[in-house]
Amino acid sequence: MNCWKDNVKKVVPYTPGEQPQIKNVVKINTNENPYPPSPKVYEAMKNFDADNLKKYPDPLIGKLIEAIAEYHNIDKDMVFAGVGSDDVIGMAFLTFFNGDKPILFPDITYSFYDVWADLFGIKYEQIPLLEDFTIRKEDYIRENGGIIIANPNAPTSIALDIDDIEYIIKNNPSSVVIIDEAYIDFGGVSALGLVNKYDNLLVVRTFSKSRSMAGARIGYAVGCKDIIKYLNDVKYSYNSYTLSNLTIDLGVASIKDDEYFRNIVNKIIETREKYSAELKKLGFTVLDSSSNFLFAKPSGINAYDLFEELKRRNIFVRYFNKQRINEYLRISVGTDKEMQILIDNIKDIIG
Amino acid sequence: MNCWKDNVKKVVPYTPGEQPQIKNVVKINTNENPYPPSPKVYEAMKNFDADNLKKYPDPLIGKLIEAIAEYHNIDKDMVFAGVGSDDVIGMAFLTFFNGDKPILFPDITYSFYDVWADLFGIKYEQIPLLEDFTIRKEDYIRENGGIIIANPNAPTSIALDIDDIEYIIKNNPSSVVIIDEAYIDFGGVSALGLVNKYDNLLVVRTFSKSRSMAGARIGYAVGCKDIIKYLNDVKYSYNSYTLSNLTIDLGVASIKDDEYFRNIVNKIIETREKYSAELKKLGFTVLDSSSNFLFAKPSGINAYDLFEELKRRNIFVRYFNKQRINEYLRISVGTDKEMQILIDNIKDIIG
């Protein structure tokens, strides 16, 4: 007799960075923002009438979509929102990557892309980054069923020039090209300026990094009206109500406080530059970061050993046991204080 | 040349009930709870440190899973949680219904089941309910790739006997059988008592109805450890962090306040019985409800005309333009005051 287990979709899930539940750790391993969300977000939470929880949220996520559209000065029919950018990108894979040809993405990039492809049975080809971890735009001009590029890329932290991005979009009119801009607020030029020019472009953003709201789960995508309509149709075929009505209010409050947002982003960029220099002084190779993290190769100590020793000292960074990048550590930019603790400990370890 | 639109997944999305954004309406069209969530939920919101929003939530949703496990007196490895029961069931379809044989569900039931099947390319067979809108258990003993049954069923409001449920589970050992218990707190006997006996059973629950938290988006599922493990693997392949850390706290607070929960559930049952009788007095045929809604066939007026006329008066009920049930209205149980307004208006309309 058959067993129900024969019909189970078997997958190798994505492994997120550790979320230590203990206090007093320096947690610079999942690219979170070290600063709290805007005080307006606190205020929205305090002002939220919990009685509203009894009603379903607006399935159109209207208030948040409108705030985002206004912020980017685009039409609200060009915005889609979901439970973090993971939900948005996962839904986009399911919606747009249904052809027979493989989709393309770099061999070294956000490690969820191949997981989604496997989940939905999408063929894919991983295009090797060049030796210096940059993307060669010409490599993406070949038969494909879709393209996804993180810009700035992770975990390399390197941004691709907007002209190169446009070259890839323009030369792939029969594929949807997704630009995953999780880190764009920290550097690089956004592809948002191209959404009115190319109907095959989807730009994805998140509140998890620059907006200090990883815990709230808000992501969004911007594209032409057709692309957003298709994405919404699939969303409404899966779950009509993805964002809680409280989350919607918090998201709106964040978007409305642009001054606070710009301040913390600038602060993080300053810290990044300062501690990139510090690491270099200690002999590290540090890639040129356009993100809120540093991708750095230690000197005088093996990356994995340093990772483990730092963890023993309650300092969590990220190590990828993967060819080409297993000599590097990915270090999220924390507060100056956290970064100084890191530097002091590295000094202590490498003597 | 091909167009990217050739590779788009084209679907006919689920149409949720209207969510009027105007005030002063009697909204008894989406089976929401007329009472607010437990005061403990308010408290948890007020006590939440918004600073926590900057960090990713616990991907294991540990606190909430533990509270649910304790509440049902089961092991925490037997609980899965998601963004409302729609997310949980959608994920279960994707995980468990990958065979060649059609899955089975009633012809009249929650109208999302065929939408999920279409989205994921799952074959299905809709088994007609009997003339009296009940389920004949023997109809589910045939070759299939999975079974889903809502108990109590919607929009009929009728519960299936737990012995019949067990008969279906027991006689389908090579299929996963999902029992969707969105409304079980209002009547019927839960299949939760069977999860330790059958490894092919998944019981799905929601915070949206009995817990007055439709706006918070929390659903969960209970099953044997294997079933939950498979479900989590697929979840982690789609989105590692589905529930916000604020939502997790609100969910825990609701679970912990059992007295409040039982009180409002009992209140709704009382109101249901009272107004079921009132509708019968007006000549309506009202099915025997084990849920927080009434499925009722008007007398002396066409169901659609009554639906439209009530809407004109800012009273929203649900009408399904679908064979076999297009003479019925689905009326969520509101407060006594709301139900009285409904009755008064129906009297006025049918004269």
Side-chain angles (χ1 to χ4, degrees):
Chain A
M1 196 180 64
N2 292 328
C3 173
W4 58 265
K5 291 180 186 177
D6 299 341
N7 291 337
V8 167
K9 181 159 302 218
K10 314 250 178 11
V11 288
V12 180
Y14 171 76
T15 313
E18 288 168 277
Q19 296 290 349
Q21 299 296 308
I22 47 173
K23 301 267 176 193
N24 295 319
V25 301
V26 175
K27 187 175 175 302
I28 44 179
N29 68 334
T30 52
N31 296 345
E32 288 148 332
N33 197 308
Y35 302 107
S38 156
K40 301 283 181 195
V41 174
Y42 292 65
E43 223 174 85
M45 197 180 79
K46 299 294 177 202
N47 291 336
F48 184 82
D49 181 358
D51 190 46
N52 286 334
L53 289 177
K54 73 186 182 195
K55 298 285 181 204
Y56 281 99
D58 170 17
L60 303 175
I61 319 179
K63 280 196 286 185
L64 180 60
I65 296 279
E66 277 162 36
I68 292 168
E70 196 184 324
Y71 183 72
H72 290 306
N73 196 23
I74 49 175
D75 195 284
K76 67 182 167 59
D77 296 342
M78 297 176 71
V79 183
F80 173 88
V83 183
S85 59
D86 285 349
D87 179 40
V88 173
I89 300 172
M91 199 77 45
F93 270 52
L94 182 58
T95 307
F96 301 114
F97 296 162
N98 294 287
D100 294 327
K101 297 169 197 158
I103 65 165
L104 309 178
F105 49 84
D107 65 335
I108 295 167
T109 189
Y110 184 33
S111 45
F112 228 124
Y113 300 156
D114 53 347
V115 173
W116 283 312
D118 286 334
L119 177 64
F120 296 124
I122 299 163
K123 278 182 276 185
Y124 59 93
E125 225 174 283
Q126 289 168 299
I127 312 285
L129 293 179
L130 298 180
E131 271 306 302
D132 65 355
F133 294 122
T134 59
I135 287 171
R136 206 178 72 102
K137 63 181 189 294
E138 293 81 6
D139 291 344
Y140 293 82
I141 314 304
R142 63 172 80 184
E143 270 213 332
N144 68 76
I147 292 172
I148 179 159
I149 287 173
N151 189 43
N153 196 13
T156 65
S157 78
I158 298 171
L160 183 61
D161 197 90
I162 187 67
D163 294 337
D164 293 0
I165 295 272
E166 181 165 8
Y167 175 90
I168 292 170
I169 299 163
K170 187 182 186 169
N171 286 288
N172 284 288
S174 45
S175 297
V176 169
V177 179
I178 302 175
I179 307 297
D180 177 358
E181 296 193 338
Y183 300 105
I184 197 75
D185 293 314
F186 303 105
V189 177
S190 172
L192 275 181
L194 304 174
V195 285
N196 283 310
K197 201 167 166 189
Y198 299 101
D199 76 348
N200 61 325
L201 168 62
L202 188 74
V203 180
V204 179
R205 295 286 189 93
T206 177
F207 278 50
S208 299
K209 316 295 183 184
S210 53
R211 294 193 174 276
S212 312
M213 289 174 73
R217 317 308 304 125
I218 307 176
Y220 64 98
V222 177
C224 73
K225 289 180 192 190
D226 270 1
I227 255 189
I228 298 301
K229 163 87 169 59
Y230 285 126
L231 206 43
N232 267 319
D233 282 353
V234 169
K235 174 215 151 151
Y236 289 127
S237 302
Y238 183 76
N239 191 356
S240 312
Y241 311 99
T242 48
L243 295 197
S244 87
N245 40 26
L246 176 50
T247 303
I248 292 170
D249 280 9
L250 303 186
V252 170
S254 170
I255 288 277
K256 298 279 188 197
D257 192 358
D258 202 40
E259 194 187 342
Y260 179 89
F261 169 71
R262 287 177 192 274
N263 280 342
I264 61 168
V265 165
N266 287 334
K267 184 82 195 76
I268 289 165
I269 292 171
E270 272 171 37
T271 306
R272 176 185 77 203
E273 294 308 312
K274 179 174 173 192
Y275 287 93
S276 172
E278 290 290 327
L279 285 169
K280 284 176 186 164
K281 276 191 222 158
L282 296 177
F284 281 52
T285 304
V286 185
L287 302 193
D288 198 15
S289 175
S290 294
S291 68
N292 70 335
F293 57 89
L294 296 167
F295 203 50
K297 182 175 164 180
S299 162
I301 185 169
N302 176 291
Y304 183 73
D305 291 344
L306 180 55
F307 162 76
E308 284 289 348
E309 179 55 27
L310 287 170
K311 189 155 90 175
R312 213 181 54 77
R313 295 166 180 234
N314 278 339
I315 299 169
F316 291 77
V317 300
R318 191 87 191 260
Y319 172 77
F320 297 91
N321 186 11
K322 187 181 159 143
Q323 265 199 340
R324 294 189 71 186
I325 55 171
N326 55 11
E327 293 180 14
Y328 284 77
L329 295 179
R330 194 194 67 184
I331 302 165
S332 309
V333 177
T335 60
D336 284 277
K337 191 180 159 199
E338 290 172 318
M339 298 310 276
Q340 193 56 52
I341 293 173
L342 172 76
I343 294 290
D344 292 345
N345 275 278
I346 292 176
K347 278 185 187 161
D348 189 55
I349 293 165
I350 66 179
Chain B
M1 195 181 65
N2 293 328
C3 173
W4 58 265
K5 291 181 186 175
D6 299 341
N7 291 338
V8 167
K9 182 159 300 222
K10 314 246 179 15
V11 288
V12 180
Y14 171 77
T15 312
E18 289 167 275
Q19 295 290 349
Q21 299 297 308
I22 47 173
K23 300 267 175 190
N24 294 318
V25 301
V26 174
K27 186 174 177 305
I28 44 179
N29 67 333
T30 53
N31 296 346
E32 289 149 330
N33 198 308
Y35 303 107
S38 155
K40 301 283 182 198
V41 173
Y42 292 64
E43 224 174 86
M45 196 179 81
K46 299 294 178 200
N47 290 338
F48 184 82
D49 181 357
D51 191 48
N52 286 333
L53 288 177
K54 73 187 181 194
K55 299 285 182 205
Y56 282 98
D58 170 17
L60 302 175
I61 318 179
K63 280 195 288 185
L64 180 60
I65 297 279
E66 277 161 36
I68 292 168
E70 195 183 324
Y71 183 73
H72 290 307
N73 196 23
I74 48 175
D75 195 284
K76 67 184 167 59
D77 296 343
M78 298 177 71
V79 182
F80 173 89
V83 183
S85 58
D86 284 349
D87 180 40
V88 173
I89 300 173
M91 199 75 47
F93 270 53
L94 182 59
T95 306
F96 300 113
F97 295 162
N98 295 287
D100 293 327
K101 297 169 195 157
I103 64 165
L104 310 178
F105 48 84
D107 65 335
I108 295 167
T109 188
Y110 185 32
S111 44
F112 228 124
Y113 300 155
D114 53 347
V115 173
W116 283 313
D118 286 334
L119 176 65
F120 296 124
I122 299 162
K123 278 182 277 183
Y124 59 92
E125 224 174 285
Q126 289 168 298
I127 312 287
L129 294 178
L130 299 180
E131 271 305 303
D132 64 356
F133 294 123
T134 59
I135 287 172
R136 205 178 73 102
K137 63 179 188 296
E138 292 81 6
D139 290 344
Y140 292 83
I141 314 305
R142 62 172 82 183
E143 270 215 332
N144 68 75
I147 293 172
I148 180 160
I149 287 173
N151 189 42
N153 196 13
T156 65
S157 78
I158 298 171
L160 184 61
D161 196 89
I162 187 66
D163 294 337
D164 292 1
I165 295 274
E166 181 165 9
Y167 175 90
I168 292 170
I169 299 164
K170 188 182 187 166
N171 286 289
N172 284 288
S174 46
S175 297
V176 169
V177 178
I178 303 175
I179 307 297
D180 178 358
E181 296 192 337
Y183 300 104
I184 197 77
D185 293 315
F186 303 105
V189 177
S190 172
L192 275 181
L194 303 173
V195 286
N196 283 311
K197 198 166 168 190
Y198 299 101
D199 76 347
N200 62 324
L201 167 63
L202 188 73
V203 180
V204 179
R205 295 284 188 95
T206 177
F207 278 50
S208 298
K209 316 295 183 185
S210 53
R211 294 194 175 276
S212 313
M213 289 174 76
R217 317 307 305 124
I218 307 176
Y220 64 97
V222 176
C224 73
K225 289 179 193 191
D226 270 1
I227 255 190
I228 297 302
K229 163 86 170 61
Y230 285 125
L231 206 44
N232 267 320
D233 282 352
V234 169
K235 175 214 151 151
Y236 288 127
S237 301
Y238 182 75
N239 191 356
S240 312
Y241 311 100
T242 47
L243 294 196
S244 89
N245 39 28
L246 177 49
T247 302
I248 292 171
D249 280 9
L250 303 186
V252 171
S254 170
I255 288 279
K256 298 280 187 195
D257 192 358
D258 202 41
E259 193 186 343
Y260 179 89
F261 168 73
R262 287 177 193 274
N263 280 342
I264 60 168
V265 164
N266 287 335
K267 184 83 194 75
I268 289 166
I269 293 171
E270 272 172 37
T271 306
R272 175 185 78 201
E273 295 308 312
K274 179 173 172 194
Y275 287 94
S276 171
E278 289 291 326
L279 286 169
K280 284 177 186 164
K281 276 191 220 157
L282 295 178
F284 281 53
T285 305
V286 185
L287 302 192
D288 198 14
S289 175
S290 294
S291 68
N292 70 335
F293 56 89
L294 297 167
F295 203 51
K297 183 176 165 180
S299 161
I301 185 169
N302 176 290
Y304 182 72
D305 291 344
L306 180 55
F307 163 75
E308 284 290 348
E309 179 56 26
L310 286 170
K311 188 155 90 172
R312 213 181 55 77
R313 296 166 179 232
N314 279 338
I315 300 169
F316 291 78
V317 300
R318 192 87 191 261
Y319 172 77
F320 297 91
N321 186 11
K322 186 182 161 144
Q323 265 197 340
R324 294 189 70 187
I325 56 172
N326 55 11
E327 293 180 12
Y328 283 77
L329 295 179
R330 194 194 68 185
I331 302 165
S332 308
V333 177
T335 60
D336 283 276
K337 192 180 157 199
E338 289 172 319
M339 298 310 275
Q340 193 57 51
I341 292 173
L342 172 76
I343 294 290
D344 292 345
N345 274 277
I346 292 176
K347 277 184 187 161
D348 189 55
I349 292 165
I350 65 179

